[in-house]
Amino acid sequence: MKEDTITTGFRICPKCGKHYHDTLALSREDNEALFTKTKERVTFTFNGWDGESYDGESRTGCIYRAAIKGCEEVRFIKVGKGLHYIDEDSSVIEIATGEAHKEAEWLVDVARA
């Protein structure tokens, strides 16, 4: 990663347990070097924290995979400027359809080019 990454603290990855520095935003270069878009798709929900999906409304997005040791099996998605991970242990029922969808959790923002 670039040397000029602004750090604000020390955190532990909720999926793999590794320590990392919390950053204000991941650089576009680091995002492209560490995460690869795949042909896989996932239906997920933000479960209300996006200010819209309070009833489990779902979205569908492309899966990104990480070239980070310990995170190879984690499914990531990019929505807007945010990079999120799919919480495989948390499913939410969409009230309108009765279908269960995995919950997406925010990880980090990606800086604009």
Side-chain angles (χ1 to χ4, degrees):
M1 292 196 184
K2 293 174 71 173
E3 291 295 318
D4 62 348
T5 301
I6 300 169
T7 60
T8 59
F10 201 61
R11 296 185 55 184
I12 298 174
C13 175
K15 298 306 287 181
C16 67
K18 295 191 181 289
H19 294 276
Y20 67 96
H21 287 297
D22 190 13
T23 61
L24 298 175
L26 184 66
S27 72
R28 171 77 78 198
E29 295 82 14
D30 288 341
N31 178 62
E32 291 173 356
L34 296 172
F35 297 93
T36 304
K37 186 176 182 179
T38 69
K39 292 182 181 182
E40 301 171 85
R41 297 188 62 74
V42 64
T43 301
F44 63 93
T45 181
F46 285 122
N47 197 27
W49 70 259
D50 61 347
E52 299 175 5
S53 58
Y54 295 105
D55 293 325
E57 292 87 349
S58 62
R59 301 178 182 196
T60 301
C62 292
I63 297 291
Y64 286 75
R65 295 291 181 172
I68 302 169
K69 188 173 180 169
C71 294
E72 298 90 350
E73 299 303 316
V74 179
R75 298 189 299 170
F76 297 93
I77 55 169
K78 189 168 184 299
V79 178
K81 66 178 182 177
L83 184 64
H84 310 268
Y85 68 92
I86 300 298
D87 186 348
E88 303 294 350
D89 297 326
S90 177
S91 293
V92 176
I93 304 233
E94 183 175 355
I95 292 175
T97 64
E99 295 178 4
H101 305 291
K102 295 296 181 188
E103 189 172 3
E105 302 286 349
W106 179 84
L107 183 64
V108 68
D109 287 340
V110 177
R112 295 183 184 211

